[in-house]
Amino acid sequence: MKKLVGNVLLTVGLVAGAITAARIPPMWGGLAASLAVMGAGIFLRRQGAKEELHRAAQSGTGGVRELERLLTDALGRIERIMDAPREKAVEELTGILEELDEFAEKAQPLRIEGLMTYGTIMSVFSRGERALNRAWSAFADGYENEGRRYLRYSYDDLKETLSAVKALKV
């Protein structure tokens, strides 16, 4: 609710500020008031976003437990296709990539822990996801050796991501 009210105040302040500043001479009092309304809107919007993150972390729709489950499942599936035939690898990688699409969304509650923690985890994860996409592409194009090399890279990066997630004290 705070986020919605914050968005409304931000919009009202922006429109009012544009109207008062566009007049000649500018209506300085109105401009100052609209800046104050915008500031209140930004404050409420941020508070609402923080509350959403806390609710998501507490309800289990994101956060450490969910991320551990996603990563553990993906790593297990990658282990099973390390030596699998190319066609099986492409099929399985498609499913793994679809599942990992949720990771970034479910990792949002980690921002509560701080931006450095979130950034560290997401940078390692994104490197692993990129390698997984490259592996899929190489397998799909028939470059099996390159696909296996990138599959190994992604496995190592996702394992590092899982270690970082498990190290969180949540």
Side-chain angles (χ1 to χ4, degrees):
M1 186 66 179
K2 282 184 181 178
K3 198 171 176 181
L4 175 65
V5 172
N7 282 336
V8 169
L9 287 177
L10 188 58
T11 304
V12 168
L14 182 65
V15 171
I19 291 170
T20 57
R23 301 194 43 126
I24 302 200
M27 298 171 58
W28 296 111
L31 183 59
S34 58
L35 287 174
V37 170
M38 286 173 58
I42 291 170
F43 177 77
L44 285 174
R45 191 177 186 309
R46 285 183 155 199
Q47 289 297 317
K50 260 188 196 175
E51 288 175 6
E52 280 181 13
L53 290 176
H54 283 286
R55 272 194 304 276
Q58 290 171 349
S59 70
T61 58
V64 176
R65 288 183 302 277
E66 186 71 20
L67 298 179
E68 279 184 34
R69 185 196 60 76
L70 271 173
L71 288 169
T72 303
D73 182 53
L75 287 167
R77 291 171 71 181
I78 291 171
E79 284 174 356
R80 287 192 296 274
I81 61 168
M82 286 288 193
D83 298 319
R86 186 178 65 85
E87 295 81 19
K88 172 84 170 140
V90 170
E91 181 183 319
E92 191 67 25
L93 281 173
T94 302
I96 294 169
L97 286 167
E98 287 173 358
E99 197 173 287
L100 288 179
D101 259 351
E102 301 173 24
F103 187 89
E105 183 69 31
K106 292 184 185 268
Q108 291 301 315
L110 293 181
R111 291 181 8 213
I112 295 169
E113 300 300 314
L115 229 47
M116 285 300 291
T117 302
Y118 176 76
T120 301
I121 289 172
M122 289 308 292
S123 65
V124 176
F125 170 76
S126 65
R127 191 173 61 218
E129 187 183 31
R130 260 191 320 277
L132 208 55
N133 277 305
R134 287 182 181 147
W136 180 90
S137 181
F139 277 124
D141 291 342
Y143 298 102
E144 197 166 329
N145 290 337
E146 184 179 350
R148 296 208 185 279
R149 185 172 61 242
Y150 279 108
L151 193 59
R152 175 46 97 189
Y153 293 157
S154 71
Y155 180 80
D156 293 340
D157 288 335
L158 293 177
K159 198 162 193 150
E160 186 180 339
T161 304
L162 180 60
S163 296
V165 168
K166 284 183 174 181
L168 291 174
K169 306 274 193 279
V170 179

